[in-house]
Amino acid sequence: MKLVRYNPLNEFVPSTFGSLLESALLDGRSEFFSPNVDFVKNEDSFELHLVAPGLEKSDFTLDLQDNVLTISGERKLNEDINFSKVESRYGKFKRSFKMSELVATDKIEASYNSGILKVVLPLDKKKVEKKVIKIS
């Protein structure tokens, strides 16, 4: 199974232009960013590792609707610090992932440690089992 970043604009425009258009449609806010996600495939689950340093667990929102997992939040810039240069990303973020029918969505777990949000997507054993059908 392959997890693919879900973008509703992909049906209307090519993916490279879709990302550009998606950013423009967000009211021109430059504070929007897209954190990196690493994907891990285990024997009995998939994992999403969203890289988001400097946040607390309470800064994240995970929603599952219509088999689409959406992870959103905001990393705020500390205005009290006089930065001479800022290279890290700040602002609101939102990443959406269409779930496979193999994922047991009622058993999804999430944890946040050392700047990485880890979302475990366990596979439904009943749907994964392979059956051999005998021809009579």
Side-chain angles (χ1 to χ4, degrees), residues 9 16-30 32:
L9 294 175
T16 52
F17 185 69
S19 298
L20 186 66
L21 185 60
E22 181 182 14
S23 297
L25 292 176
L26 293 169
D27 301 320
R29 296 177 298 191
S30 61
F32 179 82

Side-chain angles (χ1 to χ4, degrees), residues 42 59 108 135:
N42 298 315
D59 293 329
I108 294 175
I135 301 172

Side-chain angles (χ1 to χ4, degrees), residues 1-135:
M1 180 184 109
K2 182 179 176 186
L3 291 174
V4 178
R5 179 172 183 232
Y6 176 72
N7 181 352
L9 294 175
N10 282 345
E11 296 176 16
F12 304 107
V13 292
S15 61
T16 52
F17 185 69
S19 298
L20 186 66
L21 185 60
E22 181 182 14
S23 297
L25 292 176
L26 293 169
D27 301 320
R29 296 177 298 191
S30 61
E31 71 269 5
F32 179 82
F33 75 103
S34 183
N36 294 330
V37 177
D38 298 326
F39 300 93
V40 178
K41 183 178 182 202
N42 298 315
E43 191 172 312
D44 58 350
S45 68
F46 290 100
E47 294 178 10
L48 303 176
H49 295 184
L50 186 131
V51 180
L55 296 174
E56 300 293 329
K57 289 189 273 188
S58 59
D59 293 329
F60 294 98
T61 302
L62 279 76
D63 292 316
L64 182 64
Q65 183 176 352
D66 297 329
N67 228 24
V68 174
L69 175 68
T70 301
I71 304 170
S72 59
E74 182 174 8
R75 183 173 183 221
K76 296 180 181 178
L77 180 65
N78 186 344
E79 300 289 338
D80 297 333
I81 300 174
N82 187 18
F83 291 102
S84 60
K85 183 176 183 179
V86 177
E87 290 187 348
S88 57
R89 305 294 302 259
Y90 290 87
K92 295 179 182 179
F93 62 88
K94 185 176 182 180
R95 296 288 306 260
S96 295
F97 306 91
K98 187 166 176 76
M99 297 291 98
S100 164
E101 65 280 350
L102 299 177
V103 174
T105 55
D106 58 329
K107 296 179 183 172
I108 294 175
E109 296 178 358
S111 60
Y112 182 69
N113 189 16
S114 300
I116 296 178
L117 177 68
K118 179 179 171 182
V119 182
V120 179
L121 310 167
L123 297 176
D124 188 347
K125 299 273 188 210
K126 295 175 187 173
K127 294 180 182 175
V128 175
E129 290 178 8
K130 183 177 177 181
K131 293 182 181 181
V132 176
I133 301 171
K134 216 174 187 185
I135 301 172

